[in-house]
């Protein structure tokens, strides 16, 4: 699939029998980009995590809202929650915050930016709880609507919503910790 502001393209291969789960996941992911990239812009070359990570996590939240916690947990484990040993490439740090040019192949880009980035949002959500997490994301959305966000804008929304500085929490993921 591929997103553009106001448009989503889905390959016809996903419409074949047996691809129902992949089709739903890809459609939800690309539609979520209408928020994270479409309405909250970012520099997708230098900061691709700012749209891919919240989009991937929003995809998981769709499953929780639509099907319940058990399905959310299954989708998380299947699509995101891989153990770090699986996500580690010898000698290559998993820096979610790297620019797209840091990735020599699409698979490693997907593992780090999409998967590890979604883990970052999952962990943040677990730490904050629903009210503070969704409050911060709504604050971020309202502050950056139709603008290009930077990581500091997300940090600011989290800080204003919770009264705490969450930049260190996120920086560990962004810098490979």
């Amino acid at each position: 699939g591929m997103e553009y502001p106001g448009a989503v393209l889905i390959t016809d291969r996903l419409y074949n029998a047996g691809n129902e789960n992949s089709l739903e996941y890809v459609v939800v992911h690309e539609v979520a980009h209408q928020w994270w990239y479409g309405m909250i812009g970012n520099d997708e070359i230098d900061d691709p995590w700012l749209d891919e990570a919240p989009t991937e996590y929003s995809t998981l939240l769709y499953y929780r809202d639509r099907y319940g916690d058990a399905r959310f947990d299954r989708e998380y484990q299947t699509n995101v929650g891989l153990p770090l040993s699986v996500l580690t490439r010898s000698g290559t740090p998993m820096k979610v915050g790297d620019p797209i040019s840091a990735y020599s192949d699409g698979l490693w880009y997907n593992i780090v930016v999409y998967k590890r980035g979604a883990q970052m949002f999952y962990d943040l959500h677990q730490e904050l709880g629903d009210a503070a997490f969704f409050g911060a994301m709504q604050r971020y959305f309202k502050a950056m609507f139709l603008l290009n966000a930077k990581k500091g804008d997300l940090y600011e929304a989290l800080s204003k919503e919770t009264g705490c500085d969450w930049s260190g929490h996120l920086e560990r993921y962004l810098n490979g910790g």
Side-chain angles (χ1 to χ4, degrees), residues 49 53 87 89 92-98 103 106-119 173-174 176:
W49 72 273
L87 296 177
R89 190 188 221 174
T92 305
M94 293 188 354
K95 295 167 111 182
V96 174
D98 273 349
Y103 301 96
L107 177 61
W108 189 241
Y109 172 77
N110 183 281
I111 287 170
V112 176
V113 174
Y114 288 64
K115 308 307 182 200
R116 186 70 173 144
Q119 285 178 343
Y173 288 89
L174 298 178

Side-chain angles (χ1 to χ4, degrees), residues 18-59:
N19 287 334
E20 294 83 7
N21 291 338
S22 294
L23 174 62
E24 184 175 17
Y25 198 91
V26 170
V27 168
V28 171
H29 178 93
E30 300 308 339
V31 169
H33 271 302
Q34 297 308 307
W35 285 264
W36 313 120
Y37 165 76
M39 289 188 265
I40 306 300
N42 66 288
D43 181 340
E44 64 272 6
I45 301 299
D46 289 330
D47 290 317
W49 72 273
L50 269 172
D51 67 279
E52 293 300 351
T55 294
E56 189 72 1
Y57 190 61
S58 294
T59 302

